[in-house]
Amino acid sequence: MKNAKKVFAMLLALTMCVGSLAACGDSATAPAETTPAVESEANSESAAAVETPADNAEAVTEDKTMVAAVTGFENKFSPFFASNVDDVNVTDMTQVLLVTSDRVGAVVEKAIEGETRSYNGTDYTYYGPSDVTITENADGTVYYDFTIRDDIVYSDGTPMDIDDVIFTMYVLLDPTYDGSATLYSQPILGLEEYRSGMSTLSSLLAAAGEDNTDFSLWTQEQQTAFWAAVNEGGTAFAQEIVDYMMQNGATDVASAAEGWAFPGLAADATATDFFKAIGDAYDWNFASMEAETAGSALADLIPEEVYNYSTVGVSTGESADHVEGIQRTGDYSMRVVATEIAANMIYQFGFEIAPLHYYGDESLYDYENNKFGFEKGDLSGIRAKTSQPLGAGPYVFKGASNGTVNMEANPLYYKGEPKVKYLNFLETQEADKTAGVDAGTLDISDPSYSTDVRAQITDYNGGDDSFEGSVITTMLKDFRGYGYIALCADNVKVGDDPASDASKNLRKAIATVLAAYRDEAIDSYYGDTASVINYPISNTSWAAPQVTDDGYQIAYSTDVEGNPIYTDGMSTEDKYAAALEAALGYFEAAGYTVADGKVTAAPAGAKLSCQINIGGGGAGDHPSFLLLKNASDAMKTIGFDLIVNDIANTAELYQSYQSGVAEGWCAAWQSTADPDMYQLYHSQGSTNYYAIDDADLDELIMLARQSTDQSYRKGLYQAAMDIIMDWGVEIPVYQRSEAYIFSTERVNISTLPTDMTPYWGWMEEVEKIEMN
């Protein structure tokens, strides 16, 4: 198959030169000649499939440049190792993903011929490189059968086939892989056997200890260098964290580590002990440990050779030479076998299909003999190309310098050559992200959207406050997350049982008043750049309840008897009064003494107060601050003291609820494409700071994890959210907006995608965008 690829690439190159003598020396004339050559190789079915998504196939690519703002590069433009969001943007432009998602992040299973789905009242058809069929078997295993298009070629003319997908998977599953993808965490048949028997040199050295005398797997010099790096550079790395935490309330290394989410260190722990704890948490992968920095980069504190120990594989015993569950079924098809249902596994296949002939070594690829393009445990050849990507995406990487990445339209892109020939990503300071569009240095930007930015755009548009201005056009999309107020069930309760009806009613009394004041506060802080939400999930998720769904309710809008608190046409003041009246009903049901419209006494094990921590910088600068203040003032009138604790340092805020001390707090979650609730709400969830412990909820969460049926899972999550709300531990507050802004003068706005979301932005249809 790989030899066939080479022959095809040679034929394509000849076709390009024969078709136009200028084509081999001038890429500007290549597109018109190369596209027919690729299509001629496809069978009739594939050719028809190509024509469907390539709506722009007949358009002439314009010799123009489009400039988009980014925040900053790390120059890791690899489909395997890019992690910084702007580096990922570059790889997204140069690569294609195996799995395609729609506007709500749901997987498109039949992407080759296209799948039509409705969003916001409009039907959209989604295309991609592959189809996937998921089959749940009676024995508990799951088959993921992939078929990729047979007409995709990489930007150098080399055809793509299933061996490229298999090669990519084996890189991501290698024992020494340390990129951001986590495919290795999935229950793929035979994966554990493949990854066993090999560890990284750094993890082995750490486990052996500084006094080890067995040098059968490494040299004494390597061990000495490793521990010198730990004791010097590693200690300095941890000490920076300790110093920061000491300035913010910590009293020693142990308390500093606990505040940094590394609890359990001994009372006399040193900074070196702290660093070892960090190392253990990240399996001694130094690149991953960089996430814990309080200033310096770990790469600047330890020698490069030692830093690379976490990418060196060392064989420690027997292991399988292949992953049994990765099965090639044809030149353009494969099956992946999972040993059990894992609802989020399908999202792990959203990786970029890297070309084996470029990133790997074709002489080391022989599927039948379990050779996959590189030596297991040695990704050095792949790492060497980290700054020079090559793929089958809409643009071809040309270079990076002085904070700019330059790309050129790929004439071989399977959806059609982009209409704008040159695309540049330009590093831009936040303060210049809006001004740059007005000045003409940027065509597309993504400023941190706020009422101030909105006012700035209105000014540039000559006072026009519409989103479609003469200078700048603004397109909003929901942020992939949401803001909330939480109450800890263990700390806000009646008696000793946080799950009792009395405890739930106490929390719902507080939640009912807080919910009533959301609209005013969010409108005041965000204006039209955010909206109030009613369920503990981002509106961007496919599992989020919609207003049109049966049973949809405003959060905490019923009284203790289940009757609506509010009526149509009720004034704002009447709404607040109704909320207080309903709260008194909940207090009374919780065992509080209520007389003459006030709470006068608390039952045993409860209080007449509750403190909620908020990170407003000590100055009330937080979306929920006005909400808390107004609710606090209102609750005082009925005899309950809602204490608003504005914390200046966010680290202290995090520590207050992560340690289980806080009664209540304000924060925000960032969601993923899969709405799995285990981490946040399962009784064993690692970030279940609410202390919610409900067997029915646990069962719903686990059932949702054990199905790949999206409609079924959505129903389970709806039921789960009803339980969460009944516990009164979370008050959903707001869904804020993000913005793309475009130069109305230079970009043809009518060619931009409509209904943008966090999962569907301008880059998803970049090939269709035109310049004026």
Side-chain angles (χ1 to χ4, degrees):
M1 180 53 59
K2 291 302 162 185
N3 288 334
K5 279 191 172 186
K6 290 179 179 177
V7 171
F8 185 90
M10 292 174 65
L11 289 172
L12 179 61
L14 286 172
T15 303
M16 291 167 66
C17 290
V18 172
S20 172
L21 292 176
C24 289
D26 182 2
S27 61
T29 60
E33 303 299 328
T34 57
T35 303
V38 176
E39 291 179 350
S40 69
E41 292 295 321
N43 59 37
S44 59
E45 291 183 359
S46 296
V50 169
E51 292 169 4
T52 306
D55 295 333
N56 62 325
E58 297 181 359
V60 177
T61 296
E62 299 176 302
D63 192 9
K64 294 183 178 180
T65 301
M66 184 164 62
V67 182
V70 296
T71 300
F73 299 114
E74 291 181 343
N75 294 314
K76 295 179 181 178
F77 306 129
S78 165
F80 300 107
F81 298 108
S83 57
N84 167 291
V85 65
D86 294 319
D87 289 2
V88 170
N89 285 340
V90 174
T91 65
D92 283 349
M93 290 294 93
T94 60
Q95 312 291 326
V96 295
L97 301 174
L98 175 62
V99 168
T100 303
S101 297
D102 63 15
R103 280 171 167 77
V104 292
V107 169
V108 179
E109 296 182 358
K110 303 299 179 186
I112 293 179
E113 294 187 1
E115 219 174 293
T116 300
R117 297 179 179 180
S118 180
Y119 178 81
N120 201 22
T122 302
D123 287 340
Y124 294 100
T125 303
Y126 300 91
Y127 300 95
S130 73
D131 289 348
V132 57
T133 300
I134 305 172
T135 306
E136 298 180 21
N137 303 309
D139 63 356
T141 61
V142 182
Y143 293 162
Y144 294 85
D145 288 298
F146 291 95
T147 300
I148 65 171
R149 297 171 65 100
D150 61 4
D151 54 11
I152 297 179
V153 296
Y154 291 103
S155 61
D156 64 355
T158 305
M160 174 191 292
D161 65 20
I162 206 66
D163 294 316
D164 295 298
V165 181
I166 293 173
F167 159 71
T168 301
M169 288 190 68
Y170 271 93
V171 174
L172 298 176
L173 298 176
D174 192 79
T176 66
Y177 174 72
D178 62 346
S180 58
T182 56
L183 183 64
Y184 56 77
S185 66
Q186 298 302 311
I188 300 174
L189 178 66
L191 179 56
E192 184 177 348
E193 291 81 356
Y194 179 75
R195 286 174 60 87
S196 65
M198 178 174 283
S199 298
T200 62
L201 179 56
S202 58
S203 64
L204 291 171
L205 286 165
E210 195 167 359
D211 298 328
N212 168 68
T213 57
D214 178 4
F215 302 107
S216 58
L217 298 179
W218 57 81
T219 67
Q220 185 171 359
E221 289 75 18
Q222 287 176 315
Q223 179 172 300
T224 299
F226 175 82
W227 285 107
V230 169
N231 294 329
E232 296 172 16
T235 299
F237 183 81
Q239 188 62 53
E240 285 187 352
I241 302 173
V242 173
D243 292 343
Y244 174 81
M245 294 303 293
M246 293 282 277
Q247 294 172 7
N248 293 282
T251 57
D252 54 23
V253 171
S255 63
E258 183 172 5
W260 205 258
F262 285 87
L265 267 63
D268 60 349
T270 65
T272 305
D273 296 327
F274 186 9
F275 183 73
K276 290 178 182 178
I278 296 173
D280 289 341
Y282 289 94
D283 198 25
W284 288 91
N285 183 282
F286 293 126
S288 299
M289 292 163 68
E290 299 280 14
E292 300 297 337
T293 181
S296 299
L298 187 55
D300 294 333
L301 297 174
I302 64 177
E304 181 179 4
E305 181 181 3
V306 175
Y307 193 87
N308 291 334
Y309 284 0
S310 58
T311 66
V312 175
V314 178
S315 295
T316 58
E318 293 295 322
S319 66
D321 60 0
H322 71 290
V323 179
E324 186 179 350
I326 300 177
Q327 302 169 1
R328 190 182 193 275
T329 56
D331 290 346
Y332 298 95
S333 62
M334 66 181 295
R335 168 175 287 177
V336 179
V337 181
T339 57
E340 61 187 39
I341 294 174
N344 68 338
M345 184 167 170
I346 186 61
Y347 295 98
Q348 295 290 337
F349 292 114
F351 54 75
E352 293 164 330
I353 307 173
L356 162 60
H357 74 280
Y358 178 73
Y359 286 100
D361 182 341
E362 289 185 288
S363 69
L364 295 178
Y365 189 91
D366 183 348
Y367 176 83
E368 298 300 331
N369 291 296
N370 299 320
K371 298 174 67 178
F372 303 106
F374 61 97
E375 295 290 349
K376 181 180 178 181
D378 181 8
L379 302 182
S380 57
I382 296 155
R383 295 179 193 279
K385 295 182 172 67
T386 294
S387 61
Q388 293 290 325
L390 184 144
Y395 279 88
V396 180
F397 179 86
K398 289 298 182 180
S401 63
N402 300 319
T404 302
V405 166
N406 304 104
M407 290 177 284
E408 186 173 333
N410 176 11
L412 306 180
Y413 184 47
Y414 78 102
K415 290 186 179 181
E417 182 178 7
K419 295 181 180 179
V420 179
K421 184 163 186 177
Y422 302 106
L423 172 63
N424 293 346
F425 284 131
L426 176 64
E427 288 185 345
T428 307
Q429 296 295 319
E430 182 62 40
D432 299 324
K433 282 192 172 182
T434 304
V437 177
D438 174 62
T441 56
L442 298 171
D443 301 308
I444 303 174
S445 188
D446 60 342
S448 181
Y449 200 57
S450 65
T451 52
D452 289 341
V453 170
R454 176 69 187 278
Q456 186 179 7
I457 293 172
T458 298
D459 183 56
Y460 290 146
N461 284 331
D464 180 359
D465 64 355
S466 71
F467 289 121
E468 300 175 1
S470 59
V471 176
I472 294 177
T473 293
T474 303
M475 293 189 177
L476 299 183
K477 59 186 177 72
D478 286 337
F479 174 68
R480 197 178 63 181
Y482 67 97
Y484 67 95
I485 300 173
L487 298 174
C488 178
D490 279 346
N491 299 330
V492 184
K493 61 184 178 182
V494 176
D496 297 323
D497 185 6
S500 68
D501 288 340
S503 293
K504 291 178 182 178
N505 285 327
L506 165 59
R507 294 189 293 269
K508 283 189 281 189
I510 300 169
T512 296
V513 180
L514 291 173
Y517 284 91
R518 294 176 302 164
D519 291 299
E520 179 184 6
I522 298 310
D523 182 66
S524 174
Y525 193 89
Y526 280 118
D528 58 7
T529 67
S531 59
V532 169
I533 60 173
N534 292 302
Y535 288 88
I537 189 171
S538 170
N539 280 344
T540 62
S541 174
W542 55 260
Q546 303 298 312
V547 175
T548 54
D549 291 348
D550 290 339
Y552 184 93
Q553 278 194 324
I554 304 298
Y556 302 104
S557 61
T558 58
D559 63 20
V560 71
E561 302 295 334
N563 301 312
I565 298 173
Y566 311 113
T567 59
D568 292 339
M570 185 177 279
S571 70
T572 300
E573 292 306 316
D574 287 344
K575 175 182 174 182
Y576 296 151
L580 288 175
E581 185 65 28
L584 287 171
Y586 279 115
F587 277 124
E588 191 167 23
Y592 282 72
T593 302
V594 177
D596 299 325
K598 288 191 175 183
V599 177
T600 58
K607 302 190 302 181
L608 286 169
S609 67
C610 175
Q611 177 173 295
I612 297 181
N613 298 334
I614 185 170
D621 186 13
H622 190 283
S624 292
F625 183 81
L626 181 62
L627 183 167
L628 290 179
K629 180 182 181 300
N630 289 343
S632 175
D633 292 343
M635 294 192 81
K636 280 184 174 65
T637 67
I638 62 169
F640 191 86
D641 190 10
L642 185 68
I643 304 165
V644 183
N645 181 28
D646 188 356
I647 298 176
N649 184 271
T650 54
E652 184 181 342
L653 171 69
Y654 300 152
Q655 183 184 13
S656 72
Y657 64 79
Q658 292 176 4
S659 62
V661 173
E663 293 180 327
W665 66 90
C666 296
W669 291 121
Q670 183 163 336
S671 58
T672 59
D674 186 78
D676 178 40
M677 293 182 170
Y678 186 93
Q679 183 176 340
L680 300 182
Y681 303 109
H682 192 279
S683 59
Q684 302 302 312
S686 60
T687 55
N688 178 10
Y689 304 127
Y690 312 97
I692 187 171
D693 187 350
D694 190 294
D696 292 337
L697 177 60
D698 286 353
E699 182 179 8
L700 288 168
I701 291 172
M702 296 309 296
L703 284 172
R705 277 190 152 195
Q706 295 162 11
S707 174
T708 58
D709 185 324
Q710 182 171 300
S711 297
Y712 173 65
R713 295 183 72 205
K714 181 172 181 176
L716 293 174
Y717 287 132
Q718 174 66 71
M721 285 185 277
D722 289 341
I723 292 176
I724 294 165
M725 300 295 279
D726 184 59
W727 269 67
V729 292
E730 183 173 342
I731 301 92
V733 179
Y734 64 90
Q735 173 89 58
R736 69 176 176 84
S737 296
E738 295 180 303
Y740 288 129
I741 62 173
F742 303 88
S743 169
T744 312
E745 299 169 319
R746 295 181 299 279
V747 178
N748 183 342
I749 302 302
S750 68
T751 63
L752 294 169
T754 54
D755 282 333
M756 294 190 196
T757 74
Y759 306 103
W760 199 265
W762 64 270
M763 284 184 281
E764 271 63 41
E765 298 182 31
V766 68
E767 74 279 0
K768 298 179 182 179
I769 299 176
E770 300 175 13
M771 302 295 285
N772 290 327

